[in-house]
Amino acid sequence: VEKLLAIEAPPRAQYIRVILTELNRIASHQLWLGTHALDIGAMTPLFYTFRDREEILKIFEKYCGARLTTHMFRIGGTQYELYEGFKEQVKTFIDDFPKKVDEYETLLTENRIWLDRTKNVGVISGKDAIDLGLTGPSLRGSGVQWDLRKAKPYCIYPEFEFDIPVGEVGDTYDRYLVRMEEMRQSARIVSQAIDKIPDGPIMAKVSK
């Protein structure tokens, strides 16, 4: 809608959007990892991922009152200003998070049972992934380097350094590895953005 109406959200709003959406990506991947591992037969990762995901949900809840649906986007900016202590709370989480991902990988990445149940399972070629209309980590897991944040940059994503992880085989294991690395890259984006949030308004002037 902003593109259609030639409206640009203020820089402060764009930084807030990026930080919260990347935290949401991490929380989403944690939900996926915990339940995916549980479905395959590993219970412990569920406890680890939900333990850490809770810290993100606390930030969301304090910011907008909702844990799962961060209703902060508005045409022209964001609805809510940051609460006191937001930066510190986000930085505390982000600084510690890479070690948490390492913990997840310690449990799974070289686990013999995990390898048996994910390697060469559900192989999807890059061509098939495109033909089937796969998107996100499922598409990138098949070796297709396509991420809208890079392919068709929007918001302030061009200001940040981050990589697009892709798979080689296109199996369940590759899709797992892609998501693990995506969590690290999201944390990398947030860590770059959190200290650069500019002052100013959080909403552009938008006519009815």
PDB file of all heavy atoms in Angstrom, residues 92-104:
ATOM      1  N   THR A  92      20.424  -7.733  25.043  1.00  0.00           N
ATOM      2  CA  THR A  92      20.704  -8.854  25.938  1.00  0.00           C
ATOM      3  C   THR A  92      20.374 -10.180  25.272  1.00  0.00           C
ATOM      4  O   THR A  92      21.141 -11.151  25.349  1.00  0.00           O
ATOM      5  CB  THR A  92      19.892  -8.709  27.241  1.00  0.00           C
ATOM      6  OG1 THR A  92      20.302  -7.521  27.923  1.00  0.00           O
ATOM      7  CG2 THR A  92      20.094  -9.914  28.154  1.00  0.00           C
ATOM      8  N   PHE A  93      19.238 -10.214  24.583  1.00  0.00           N
ATOM      9  CA  PHE A  93      18.840 -11.446  23.887  1.00  0.00           C
ATOM     10  C   PHE A  93      19.783 -11.749  22.725  1.00  0.00           C
ATOM     11  O   PHE A  93      20.282 -12.878  22.589  1.00  0.00           O
ATOM     12  CB  PHE A  93      17.408 -11.334  23.368  1.00  0.00           C
ATOM     13  CG  PHE A  93      16.993 -12.517  22.531  1.00  0.00           C
ATOM     14  CD1 PHE A  93      16.585 -13.696  23.129  1.00  0.00           C
ATOM     15  CD2 PHE A  93      17.044 -12.449  21.134  1.00  0.00           C
ATOM     16  CE1 PHE A  93      16.239 -14.796  22.353  1.00  0.00           C
ATOM     17  CE2 PHE A  93      16.700 -13.544  20.365  1.00  0.00           C
ATOM     18  CZ  PHE A  93      16.286 -14.717  20.974  1.00  0.00           C
ATOM     19  N   ILE A  94      20.031 -10.754  21.885  1.00  0.00           N
ATOM     20  CA  ILE A  94      20.816 -10.964  20.664  1.00  0.00           C
ATOM     21  C   ILE A  94      22.259 -11.330  20.979  1.00  0.00           C
ATOM     22  O   ILE A  94      22.874 -12.157  20.293  1.00  0.00           O
ATOM     23  CB  ILE A  94      20.744  -9.713  19.765  1.00  0.00           C
ATOM     24  CG1 ILE A  94      19.366  -9.614  19.119  1.00  0.00           C
ATOM     25  CG2 ILE A  94      21.823  -9.730  18.696  1.00  0.00           C
ATOM     26  CD1 ILE A  94      18.994 -10.803  18.237  1.00  0.00           C
ATOM     27  N   ASP A  95      22.839 -10.715  22.004  1.00  0.00           N
ATOM     28  CA  ASP A  95      24.228 -11.013  22.353  1.00  0.00           C
ATOM     29  C   ASP A  95      24.401 -12.466  22.777  1.00  0.00           C
ATOM     30  O   ASP A  95      25.464 -13.063  22.553  1.00  0.00           O
ATOM     31  CB  ASP A  95      24.697 -10.084  23.482  1.00  0.00           C
ATOM     32  CG  ASP A  95      24.875  -8.648  23.011  1.00  0.00           C
ATOM     33  OD1 ASP A  95      24.886  -8.412  21.796  1.00  0.00           O
ATOM     34  OD2 ASP A  95      24.992  -7.750  23.876  1.00  0.00           O
ATOM     35  N   ASP A  96      23.381 -13.027  23.395  1.00  0.00           N
ATOM     36  CA  ASP A  96      23.456 -14.390  23.923  1.00  0.00           C
ATOM     37  C   ASP A  96      22.959 -15.431  22.921  1.00  0.00           C
ATOM     38  O   ASP A  96      23.276 -16.612  23.042  1.00  0.00           O
ATOM     39  CB  ASP A  96      22.633 -14.475  25.212  1.00  0.00           C
ATOM     40  CG  ASP A  96      22.955 -15.711  26.033  1.00  0.00           C
ATOM     41  OD1 ASP A  96      24.147 -16.016  26.199  1.00  0.00           O
ATOM     42  OD2 ASP A  96      22.007 -16.381  26.487  1.00  0.00           O
ATOM     43  N   PHE A  97      22.200 -14.984  21.923  1.00  0.00           N
ATOM     44  CA  PHE A  97      21.492 -15.935  21.068  1.00  0.00           C
ATOM     45  C   PHE A  97      22.389 -16.846  20.229  1.00  0.00           C
ATOM     46  O   PHE A  97      22.075 -18.034  20.080  1.00  0.00           O
ATOM     47  CB  PHE A  97      20.502 -15.193  20.160  1.00  0.00           C
ATOM     48  CG  PHE A  97      19.692 -16.110  19.297  1.00  0.00           C
ATOM     49  CD1 PHE A  97      18.801 -17.017  19.864  1.00  0.00           C
ATOM     50  CD2 PHE A  97      19.825 -16.090  17.918  1.00  0.00           C
ATOM     51  CE1 PHE A  97      18.056 -17.876  19.071  1.00  0.00           C
ATOM     52  CE2 PHE A  97      19.091 -16.941  17.120  1.00  0.00           C
ATOM     53  CZ  PHE A  97      18.200 -17.835  17.693  1.00  0.00           C
ATOM     54  N   PRO A  98      23.488 -16.366  19.636  1.00  0.00           N
ATOM     55  CA  PRO A  98      24.327 -17.280  18.846  1.00  0.00           C
ATOM     56  C   PRO A  98      24.755 -18.526  19.620  1.00  0.00           C
ATOM     57  O   PRO A  98      24.840 -19.622  19.047  1.00  0.00           O
ATOM     58  CB  PRO A  98      25.538 -16.406  18.473  1.00  0.00           C
ATOM     59  CG  PRO A  98      24.972 -15.029  18.421  1.00  0.00           C
ATOM     60  CD  PRO A  98      23.984 -14.974  19.556  1.00  0.00           C
ATOM     61  N   LYS A  99      25.002 -18.378  20.912  1.00  0.00           N
ATOM     62  CA  LYS A  99      25.367 -19.547  21.727  1.00  0.00           C
ATOM     63  C   LYS A  99      24.196 -20.515  21.841  1.00  0.00           C
ATOM     64  O   LYS A  99      24.388 -21.725  21.952  1.00  0.00           O
ATOM     65  CB  LYS A  99      25.812 -19.094  23.118  1.00  0.00           C
ATOM     66  CG  LYS A  99      27.149 -18.361  23.138  1.00  0.00           C
ATOM     67  CD  LYS A  99      27.592 -18.026  24.551  1.00  0.00           C
ATOM     68  CE  LYS A  99      26.729 -16.943  25.158  1.00  0.00           C
ATOM     69  NZ  LYS A  99      27.219 -16.482  26.480  1.00  0.00           N
ATOM     70  N   LYS A 100      22.984 -19.971  21.825  1.00  0.00           N
ATOM     71  CA  LYS A 100      21.792 -20.824  21.900  1.00  0.00           C
ATOM     72  C   LYS A 100      21.664 -21.662  20.634  1.00  0.00           C
ATOM     73  O   LYS A 100      21.332 -22.858  20.691  1.00  0.00           O
ATOM     74  CB  LYS A 100      20.535 -19.973  22.080  1.00  0.00           C
ATOM     75  CG  LYS A 100      20.567 -19.058  23.300  1.00  0.00           C
ATOM     76  CD  LYS A 100      20.650 -19.831  24.596  1.00  0.00           C
ATOM     77  CE  LYS A 100      20.533 -18.898  25.796  1.00  0.00           C
ATOM     78  NZ  LYS A 100      20.719 -19.612  27.080  1.00  0.00           N
ATOM     79  N   VAL A 101      21.930 -21.042  19.475  1.00  0.00           N
ATOM     80  CA  VAL A 101      21.860 -21.795  18.216  1.00  0.00           C
ATOM     81  C   VAL A 101      22.922 -22.889  18.211  1.00  0.00           C
ATOM     82  O   VAL A 101      22.680 -23.998  17.729  1.00  0.00           O
ATOM     83  CB  VAL A 101      22.032 -20.862  17.000  1.00  0.00           C
ATOM     84  CG1 VAL A 101      21.894 -21.651  15.692  1.00  0.00           C
ATOM     85  CG2 VAL A 101      20.991 -19.746  17.026  1.00  0.00           C
ATOM     86  N   ASP A 102      24.083 -22.583  18.754  1.00  0.00           N
ATOM     87  CA  ASP A 102      25.126 -23.610  18.868  1.00  0.00           C
ATOM     88  C   ASP A 102      24.626 -24.784  19.711  1.00  0.00           C
ATOM     89  O   ASP A 102      24.924 -25.950  19.404  1.00  0.00           O
ATOM     90  CB  ASP A 102      26.384 -23.018  19.510  1.00  0.00           C
ATOM     91  CG  ASP A 102      27.094 -22.016  18.601  1.00  0.00           C
ATOM     92  OD1 ASP A 102      26.820 -22.020  17.386  1.00  0.00           O
ATOM     93  OD2 ASP A 102      27.912 -21.230  19.122  1.00  0.00           O
ATOM     94  N   GLU A 103      23.871 -24.479  20.760  1.00  0.00           N
ATOM     95  CA  GLU A 103      23.300 -25.542  21.590  1.00  0.00           C
ATOM     96  C   GLU A 103      22.342 -26.413  20.781  1.00  0.00           C
ATOM     97  O   GLU A 103      22.369 -27.646  20.880  1.00  0.00           O
ATOM     98  CB  GLU A 103      22.559 -24.950  22.792  1.00  0.00           C
ATOM     99  CG  GLU A 103      23.446 -24.411  23.884  1.00  0.00           C
ATOM    100  CD  GLU A 103      22.641 -23.914  25.078  1.00  0.00           C
ATOM    101  OE1 GLU A 103      21.401 -23.776  24.958  1.00  0.00           O
ATOM    102  OE2 GLU A 103      23.237 -23.662  26.136  1.00  0.00           O
ATOM    103  N   TYR A 104      21.498 -25.768  19.987  1.00  0.00           N
ATOM    104  CA  TYR A 104      20.569 -26.543  19.157  1.00  0.00           C
ATOM    105  C   TYR A 104      21.340 -27.483  18.240  1.00  0.00           C
ATOM    106  O   TYR A 104      20.981 -28.659  18.077  1.00  0.00           O
ATOM    107  CB  TYR A 104      19.710 -25.620  18.271  1.00  0.00           C
ATOM    108  CG  TYR A 104      18.971 -24.500  18.965  1.00  0.00           C
ATOM    109  CD1 TYR A 104      18.537 -23.390  18.243  1.00  0.00           C
ATOM    110  CD2 TYR A 104      18.693 -24.536  20.335  1.00  0.00           C
ATOM    111  CE1 TYR A 104      17.857 -22.357  18.850  1.00  0.00           C
ATOM    112  CE2 TYR A 104      18.020 -23.497  20.949  1.00  0.00           C
ATOM    113  CZ  TYR A 104      17.601 -22.399  20.209  1.00  0.00           C
ATOM    114  OH  TYR A 104      16.932 -21.373  20.805  1.00  0.00           O
TER     115      TYR A 104
END
